[in-house]
């Protein structure tokens, strides 16, 4: 039995151009024979994945910002003290135990630290990559911005707790094997960090070149479609030339058109909680955090398209979360018949249509048995987002 | 007389992947057999060989997919073919280095913010979808079927993995309502899967007369039946087309050809 967490959201956007096609106009779709505005699932996922909201909620723990980690790693290599201990305030000192030579410790720490910083190409210089075992290349190579002498990086780098944990394990294994880190060990350093795992576990990845990193996405996102008839409108705009003295003409310096649209969108997200947990190596706590991060991002993060022109940030006034092992289904059928603004107004009508469809489907297909659920309604002030998050996060343990 | 597993497929968007080379990712007008059996495979919990970690796993999952592809015949009844939609899709990707320079990013955020903006390239694709389409599917077991129809039905009711209509962004918007039925001909097994009847039941459940107009929103036409060569049917094909949608290898994404017969049905699904 698989636990599916289904999210249904209604989000109202003011005039905006959230997600554009090749003609720079908002994307559209036809549903119920009626034109609608559309935001593609890819656009929604991108906005959520790169949002601060998502990353902060997943980490939910203090990382370390430092230029110095390279030096601490060298110390850990030299004296066998766990890296995590070295990073604590009041650094403990221990004498090198001779397991790893000073030269090797410095070199390996430099190689590892280099993985966390931007690499820079020195123009016009022929450099050899002497630090690599083969070292044959005479080509211009990119060098990490970490000083080989001081082991300090040029920029201050953020290391998550999970990354530090992984680094600590790597250092222990290097001490035991007495061999420099392999390309593969260096490559996976960042892949294993919490933000990265959460991102990949939810949204998946296919790398033809490294199938080891392939992950089947545990999350399904539908294209968001307006619950009502909506057409793309055109904003005709002009820009004036401030230095035009009107001696020759008083026309504008530039004319243009920008397609835009406003609408109340229905979006649907389905998370396979079991697959998510499996993708996260069985870590129930991280699974919970990941779910929470996604629910928060879905409810509060908007695609950033044309943000400066339209300031189209919007939070979902209505979120319904359902949880169960039953075959998941969206509720878009509720909006086949476009919702109008009469009666209680469009948002309330849309909420009613959504609830009615949910009830009706349950009646017809599941003898009236609803799935356990939690919802918020910001119009009436009903529900509590924290409670909804707890309900959703609870699926982390599956 | 034969047993059939019948179920309905509806979502606001669907995509039935056709031969795709390069920028355009087309959708066929009607479901591909590989997509429908892919959905069944997801319900059963069959994994994709390309996410396997060992060669043994890869071979194991490959053989189970092939058994599924060869073990069942399929017929589809379509009352609403829907409208085409072409989505203009862009994705940003950082320049990939070569050799040791190749970087693997742990997050999409990292990928997009790590380097300079000028290092980001855009890949374009045009992805086709069907909008407002409704399909009813019948599946029958052949001599070599790996699961009984009842086992498939149970899997569809409580699937292992999430189900979708050809592309992950196309979720189901009506329960599949899988049922096992006995019938003389495949068109009889599908006769009850009337879009109008299904929508009327949903509408009546809420006692809302307004919902009964839902049916007309699908722009239904004379139902079309598509069937595999070994179907039991009274229909004569109006045309037979060759579709490249029979799974040959899930592992290398290879598909072989299959004959699909097509004919329109009269009122009530009869000749």
């Amino acid at each position: 039995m698989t636990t599916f967490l289904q999210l249904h959201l209604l989000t109202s956007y003011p005039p905006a151009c959230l997600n554009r096609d090749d003609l720079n106009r908002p994307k559209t779709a036809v549903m119920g024979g009626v034109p609608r505005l559309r935001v593609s699932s890819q656009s929604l996922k991108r906005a959520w994945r790169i949002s601060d909201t998502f990353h902060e909620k997943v980490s939910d723990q203090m990382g370390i910002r430092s230029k110095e980690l390279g030096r601490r790693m060298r110390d850990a290599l030299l004296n066998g003290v766990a890296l995590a201990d070295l990073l604590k305030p009041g650094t403990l000192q221990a004498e090198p135990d001779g397991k790893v030579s000073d030269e090797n410790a410095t070199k390996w720490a430099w190689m590892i630290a280099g993985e966390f910083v931007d690499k820079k190409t020195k123009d016009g210089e022929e450099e050899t990559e002497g630090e690599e075992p083969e070292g044959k290349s005479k080509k211009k190579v990119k060098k990490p911005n970490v000083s080989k002498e001081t082991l300090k990086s040029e920029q201050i780098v953020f290391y998550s707790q999970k990354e530090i944990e992984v680094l600590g394990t790597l250092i222990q294994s290097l001490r035991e094997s007495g061999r420099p880190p392999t390309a593969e060990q260096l490559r996976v350093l960042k892949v294993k960090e919490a933000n990265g795992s959460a991102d990949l576990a939810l949204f998946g990845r296919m790398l033809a070149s490294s199938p080891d990193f392939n992950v089947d996405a545990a999350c399904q996102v539908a294209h968001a479609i307006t619950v009502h008839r909506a057409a793309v409108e055109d904003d005709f705009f002009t820009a004036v030339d401030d230095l035009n003295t009107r001696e020759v003409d008083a026309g504008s310096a530039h004319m243009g058109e920008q397609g835009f649209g406003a609408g109340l969108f229905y979006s649907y997200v389905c998370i396979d909680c079991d697959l998510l947990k499996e993708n996260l190596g069985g870590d129930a706590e991280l699974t919970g955090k990941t779910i929470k991060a996604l629910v928060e991002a879905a409810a509060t993060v908007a695609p950033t398209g044309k943000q400066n022109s339209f300031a189209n940030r919007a939070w979902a006034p209505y979120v319904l979360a359902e949880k169960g092992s039953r075959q998941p289904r969206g509720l878009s059928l509720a909006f086949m018949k476009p919702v109008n603004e009469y009666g209680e107004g469009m948002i309330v009508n849309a909420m009613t249509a959504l609830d009615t469809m949910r009830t009706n489907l349950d009646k017809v297909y599941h003898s009236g048995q609803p799935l356990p659920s939690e919802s918020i309604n910001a119009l009436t002030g009903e529900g509590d987002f924290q409670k909804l998050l707890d309900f959703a996060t609870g699926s982390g343990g599956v | 007389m034969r047993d059939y597993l019948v179920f309905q497929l509806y979502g606001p968007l669907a995509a039935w992947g056709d031969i795709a080379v390069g920028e355009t990712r087309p959708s066929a007008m009607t479901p591909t057999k590989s997509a429908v059996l892919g959905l069944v495979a997801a319900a059963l919990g069959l994994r994709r060989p390309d996410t396997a970690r060992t060669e043994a796993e890869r071979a194991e999952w490959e053989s189970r997919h092939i058994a599924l592809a060869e073990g069942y015949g399929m017929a589809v009844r379509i009352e609403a073919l829907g409208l085409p939609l072409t989505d203009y899709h862009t994705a940003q990707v950082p320049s990939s280095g070569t050799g040791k320079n190749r970087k693997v990013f742990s997050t999409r955020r990292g990928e997009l913010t790590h380097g300079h903006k000028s290092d980001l390239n855009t890949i374009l694709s045009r992805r086709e979808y069907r909008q407002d389409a409704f399909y009813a599917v019948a599946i029958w077991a052949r001599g070599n079927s790996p699961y009984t129809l009842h086992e498939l039905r149970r899997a569809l009711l409580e699937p292992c993995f999430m189900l979708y209509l050809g592309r992950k962004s196309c979720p189901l918007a009506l329960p599949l309502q899988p049922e096992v039925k006995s019938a003389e001909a495949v068109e009889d097994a599908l006769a009850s899967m009337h879009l109008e009847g299904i929508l009327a039941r949903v509408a009546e459940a809420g006692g809302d007369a307004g919902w009964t107009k839902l049916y007309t929103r699908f722009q239904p036409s004379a139902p079309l039946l598509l069937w595999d060569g070994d179907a039991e049917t009274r229909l004569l094909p109006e045309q037979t087309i060759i579709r490249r949608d029979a799974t040959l290898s899930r592992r290398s994404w290879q598909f072989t050809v299959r004959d699909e017969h097509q004919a329109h049905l009269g009122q009530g699904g009869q000749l």
Side-chain angles (χ1 to χ4, degrees):
Chain A
M1 282 225 302
T2 306
T3 303
F4 295 103
L5 179 71
Q6 303 182 77
L7 301 175
H8 309 270
L9 304 108
L10 291 171
T11 315
S12 169
Y13 287 102
C17 188
L18 297 159
N19 181 207
R20 292 172 266 176
D21 65 11
D22 47 344
L23 301 173
N24 201 20
R25 295 163 67 79
K27 287 184 176 179
T28 56
V30 172
M31 187 166 77
V34 167
R36 323 274 180 138
L37 294 172
R38 173 174 62 96
V39 178
S40 72
S41 62
Q42 296 87 4
S43 167
L44 293 169
K45 284 191 284 185
R46 182 189 198 274
W48 300 340
R49 290 175 80 168
I50 66 171
S51 69
D52 289 341
T53 308
F54 184 79
H55 286 264
E56 281 165 13
K57 296 296 161 193
V58 172
S59 326
D60 191 29
Q61 59 186 343
M62 298 298 285
I64 286 181
R65 278 174 209 282
S66 174
K67 293 179 172 183
E68 305 256 343
L69 198 69
R71 303 215 298 209
R72 306 295 171 100
M73 285 193 283
R74 182 188 59 190
D75 289 351
L77 280 165
L78 283 174
N79 58 29
V81 173
L83 180 66
D85 290 334
L86 273 178
L87 295 171
K88 283 177 187 155
T91 312
L92 50 110
Q93 298 287 328
E95 286 302 306
D97 59 9
K99 237 183 152 178
V100 176
S101 73
D102 199 38
E103 190 193 345
N104 275 345
T106 308
K107 195 162 106 183
W108 300 349
W110 178 77
M111 287 168 77
I112 299 169
E115 286 300 307
F116 288 88
V117 295
D118 282 337
K119 293 192 165 65
K120 194 201 243 172
T121 311
K122 292 196 177 162
D123 284 332
E125 275 182 43
E126 290 249 311
E127 292 191 44
T128 52
E129 207 167 347
E131 303 308 319
E132 296 290 339
E134 292 93 335
K136 284 177 239 148
S137 154
K138 278 267 157 86
K139 281 181 292 179
K140 196 164 70 172
V141 293
K142 288 185 175 174
K143 288 285 214 179
N145 288 338
V146 179
S147 154
K148 257 190 248 182
E149 289 74 38
T150 64
L151 289 176
K152 282 173 81 163
S153 56
E154 272 180 29
Q155 326 113 322
I156 185 156
V157 183
F158 179 78
Y159 301 85
S160 70
Q161 283 300 336
K162 184 79 184 169
E163 281 174 316
I164 291 165
E165 205 179 291
V166 172
L167 283 171
T169 317
L170 173 64
I171 285 168
Q172 286 311 315
S173 82
L174 295 180
R175 273 175 58 81
E176 272 152 39
S177 68
R179 302 181 63 82
T182 63
E184 195 58 27
Q185 280 173 324
L186 292 177
R187 248 152 88 92
V188 300
L189 278 179
K190 300 197 71 183
V191 175
K192 293 210 167 138
E193 82 169 280
N195 286 346
S197 329
D199 183 85
L200 290 187
L202 268 180
F203 301 110
R205 171 157 72 185
M206 284 292 153
L207 282 180
S209 58
S210 326
D212 283 351
F213 294 135
N214 284 355
V215 179
D216 228 336
C219 162
Q220 173 184 39
V221 180
H223 293 238
I225 297 181
T226 55
V227 304
H228 50 83
R229 177 189 291 270
V232 174
E233 295 184 60
D234 286 309
D235 179 31
F236 171 77
F237 65 90
T238 59
V240 291
D241 186 332
D242 288 345
L243 299 184
N244 182 353
T245 55
R246 303 190 175 211
E247 276 160 12
V248 180
D249 71 64
S252 70
H254 174 80
M255 297 191 293
E257 260 184 359
Q258 175 62 52
F260 72 97
L264 177 61
F265 288 80
Y266 168 66
S267 14
Y268 170 77
V269 179
C270 176
I271 305 170
D272 178 338
C273 300
D274 297 66
L275 183 60
L276 181 65
K277 192 173 166 191
E278 186 190 318
N279 285 350
L280 291 170
D283 186 337
E285 195 198 338
L286 182 56
T287 310
K289 275 185 206 164
T290 305
I291 292 172
K292 187 176 173 182
L294 179 69
V295 177
E296 250 197 89
T300 61
V301 174
T304 52
K306 280 268 168 191
Q307 189 63 235
N308 291 348
S309 309
F310 292 105
N312 46 254
R313 299 199 190 272
W315 286 14
Y318 184 81
V319 183
L320 166 69
E322 299 177 287
K323 196 164 76 176
S325 60
R326 197 187 271 179
Q327 174 201 103
R329 82 284 171 268
L331 295 171
S332 62
L333 198 59
F335 309 114
M336 272 306 264
K337 186 178 88 170
V339 172
N340 60 40
E341 75 272 29
Y342 304 116
E344 298 290 312
M346 190 172 278
I347 297 189
V348 175
N349 290 350
M351 290 173 185
T352 310
L354 196 68
D355 281 339
T356 308
M357 183 50 67
R358 181 180 177 226
T359 314
N360 292 2
L361 287 181
D362 284 343
K363 267 190 196 163
V364 172
Y365 292 100
H366 302 286
S367 332
Q369 272 308 105
L371 285 170
S373 67
E374 199 63 59
S375 66
I376 58 155
N377 180 341
L379 278 195
T380 58
E382 284 167 74
D384 175 4
F385 193 53
Q386 193 53 49
K387 218 171 138 195
L388 186 136
L389 283 178
D390 291 342
F391 170 80
T393 310
S395 329
V398 179
Chain B
M1 203 70 172
R2 210 180 220 176
D3 280 350
Y4 297 94
L5 173 70
V6 294
F7 54 89
Q8 61 199 16
L9 295 177
Y10 165 69
L13 292 178
W16 311 113
D18 216 331
I19 295 171
V21 180
E23 198 194 305
T24 304
R25 318 307 289 182
S27 168
M29 281 172 78
T30 60
T32 52
K33 194 168 178 187
S34 51
V36 174
L37 289 177
L39 180 134
V40 173
L44 289 165
L46 302 197
R47 287 164 188 266
R48 293 187 226 238
D50 41 12
T51 54
R53 279 178 186 79
T54 64
E55 180 53 36
E57 269 182 352
R58 233 164 266 147
E60 150 86 10
W61 294 338
E62 170 78 358
S63 66
R64 294 178 73 182
H65 278 286
I66 299 304
L68 200 66
E70 291 172 350
Y72 302 91
M74 179 178 92
V76 183
R77 175 197 156 101
I78 305 162
E79 284 175 271
L81 272 171
L83 297 165
L85 169 77
T86 305
D87 185 42
Y88 174 75
H89 177 271
T90 61
Q92 281 184 306
V93 280
S95 310
S96 70
T98 49
K100 295 190 188 80
N101 236 355
R102 192 173 296 153
K103 205 156 175 66
V104 176
F105 293 95
S106 58
T107 61
R108 187 78 177 114
R109 182 193 176 90
E111 201 168 51
L112 297 179
T113 54
H114 181 82
H116 293 282
K117 260 197 167 165
S118 57
D119 278 345
L120 289 178
N121 305 310
T122 303
I123 342 177
L124 303 183
S125 66
R126 285 174 189 277
R127 301 179 174 206
E128 290 182 5
Y129 295 85
R130 302 296 303 175
Q131 320 170 82
D132 280 355
F134 181 91
Y135 316 92
V137 177
I139 281 175
W140 60 90
R142 292 174 177 162
N144 51 349
S145 59
Y147 306 89
T148 67
L149 295 178
H150 287 279
E151 282 171 335
L152 296 186
R153 175 173 177 270
R154 274 196 296 276
L156 290 175
L157 284 173
E158 289 207 340
C160 261
F161 298 134
M162 53 183 67
L163 309 177
Y164 46 87
L165 304 169
R167 217 172 254 150
K168 206 151 187 169
S169 59
C170 306
L172 304 175
L174 262 185
L176 296 168
Q177 203 194 6
E179 282 177 62
V180 177
K181 288 186 174 173
S182 250
E184 287 290 339
V186 66
E187 61 268 27
D188 301 339
L190 283 167
S192 65
M193 300 295 267
H194 256 304
L195 177 58
E196 191 170 13
I198 290 157
L199 294 173
R201 277 174 66 205
V202 174
E204 275 164 27
D208 180 356
W211 288 109
T212 53
K213 285 183 186 160
L214 265 185
Y215 178 65
T216 55
R217 301 209 164 265
F218 278 91
Q219 306 182 336
S221 56
L224 180 69
L225 193 80
L226 323 171
W227 67 91
D228 267 347
D230 61 330
E232 287 177 357
T233 172
R234 289 183 297 271
L235 296 174
L236 291 173
E238 285 165 16
Q239 64 169 353
T240 297
I241 61 167
I242 298 169
R243 298 187 76 172
R244 188 170 283 280
D245 66 352
T247 308
L248 190 64
S249 164
R250 265 281 160 210
R251 218 170 147 166
S252 44
W253 291 84
Q254 286 174 319
F255 301 90
T256 187
V257 291
R258 163 182 80 101
D259 281 350
E260 185 182 79
H261 308 294
Q262 304 187 346
H264 285 88
L265 292 160
Q267 283 298 322
Q270 301 307 309
L271 263 173

